[in-house]
Amino acid sequence: MNRKDMMHRNLKLEQMRAKEENEDLILEGYFAVFDSEYKITDTMSESIARGAFTNTLKDDIDKKVLYNHNPDKILGREKNKTCEFIEDDIGLYVRTKINKNDTEALNCYERVKRGDVDQCSISFAIVSEEYSKRGSKHHWTITEVKLFEASICVFPAYEETTVSARQKDVENMEKRQKEVWEKEMLQKLKGE
């Protein structure tokens, strides 16, 4: 998998709220929290660094809020100002005004309000990241993303994709480290 391809990350919507504001129905909460370690496997993890969304929130991509990553179930979009994406000191905060004439949007609102749906996911491409090895564990800090959409989800999507993508990253890094080691050993054997 190319690291620039669209990826998904999932969170529990512990800070998501369904509320009435004036006469509007609002869904809002954090869809990503900075410096929070996301465990991929027992040996792999990642986190999102502060400022990772700064550039993407200024770009011209018309970001959307969806239900279950389904483009047919749009809850809001930046272009018509029915949702907004805000980066603050905590993370990526998403606020969506629900269309009262859309039964699917109302159903989503009520499911979140009642606690039946309590997870979210963001779709993005990694622009830059930093890798570190902590003993036998591998960690990536995502420093910049290109954000496409945020979804309120019944089931988090694509966890297997995350694991296989990161496993491939580990294999590539270990291969490069081995190649560097072999080159250094060969130079030493030649007396260089």
Side-chain angles (χ1 to χ4, degrees):
M1 168 176 248
N2 184 337
R3 303 294 298 140
K4 306 293 183 204
D5 291 343
M6 187 184 309
M7 308 183 107
H8 301 269
R9 295 297 182 272
N10 316 297
L11 289 172
K12 189 157 176 64
L13 287 173
E14 292 174 14
Q15 299 183 49
M16 177 60 79
R17 290 189 308 257
K19 68 177 190 177
E20 291 185 44
E21 187 175 277
N22 300 323
E23 294 190 22
D24 294 329
L25 300 178
I26 305 292
L27 284 176
E28 63 183 358
Y30 285 97
F31 279 62
V33 177
F34 295 137
D35 303 321
S36 179
E37 194 165 297
Y38 173 78
K39 183 179 174 183
I40 299 170
T41 68
D42 288 339
T43 61
M44 293 185 282
S45 64
E46 69 182 10
S47 59
I48 299 176
R50 293 183 191 314
F53 297 98
T54 301
N55 290 333
T56 195
L57 295 183
K58 295 175 189 173
D59 68 24
D60 59 354
I61 293 176
D62 180 22
K63 294 165 215 39
K64 297 163 185 68
V65 177
L66 305 177
Y67 185 60
N68 284 327
H69 293 291
N70 186 336
D72 294 333
K73 295 185 180 182
I74 187 163
L75 302 174
R77 69 187 300 174
E78 277 188 319
K79 183 174 151 181
N80 65 356
K81 301 185 183 353
T82 55
C83 73
E84 61 182 322
F85 295 79
I86 303 159
E87 182 180 46
D88 62 17
D89 290 338
I90 298 170
L92 178 67
Y93 195 80
V94 180
R95 180 178 162 84
T96 307
K97 180 180 170 186
I98 296 300
N99 179 354
K100 292 181 181 181
N101 295 316
D102 180 343
T103 56
E104 289 178 344
L106 285 172
N107 289 342
C108 176
Y109 175 86
E110 290 299 327
R111 290 174 183 138
V112 171
K113 183 177 175 182
R114 198 169 90 161
D116 295 335
V117 177
D118 65 353
Q119 298 183 26
C120 67
S121 179
I122 56 174
S123 297
F124 62 94
I126 295 174
V127 176
S128 64
E129 63 185 347
E130 296 170 356
Y131 168 79
S132 61
K133 192 165 181 181
R134 303 170 179 174
S136 63
K137 298 186 182 209
H138 306 274
H139 182 79
W140 291 265
T141 302
I142 299 170
T143 55
E144 185 178 350
V145 303
K146 180 176 278 295
L147 182 66
F148 303 108
E149 57 100 351
S151 280
I152 296 167
C153 298
V154 175
F155 297 105
Y158 308 106
E159 286 186 33
E160 309 79 35
T161 303
T162 301
V163 171
S164 66
R166 286 303 186 195
Q167 185 60 45
K168 193 70 166 166
D169 288 345
V170 168
E171 290 167 6
N172 288 336
M173 286 185 191
E174 288 174 347
K175 181 181 175 190
R176 282 191 298 249
Q177 288 172 342
K178 182 180 177 192
E179 289 168 356
V180 168
W181 180 84
E182 287 173 349
K183 184 179 177 184
E184 288 173 354
M185 290 298 112
L186 188 59
Q187 288 173 336
K188 286 181 181 180
L189 287 172
K190 291 181 178 180
E192 297 174 6

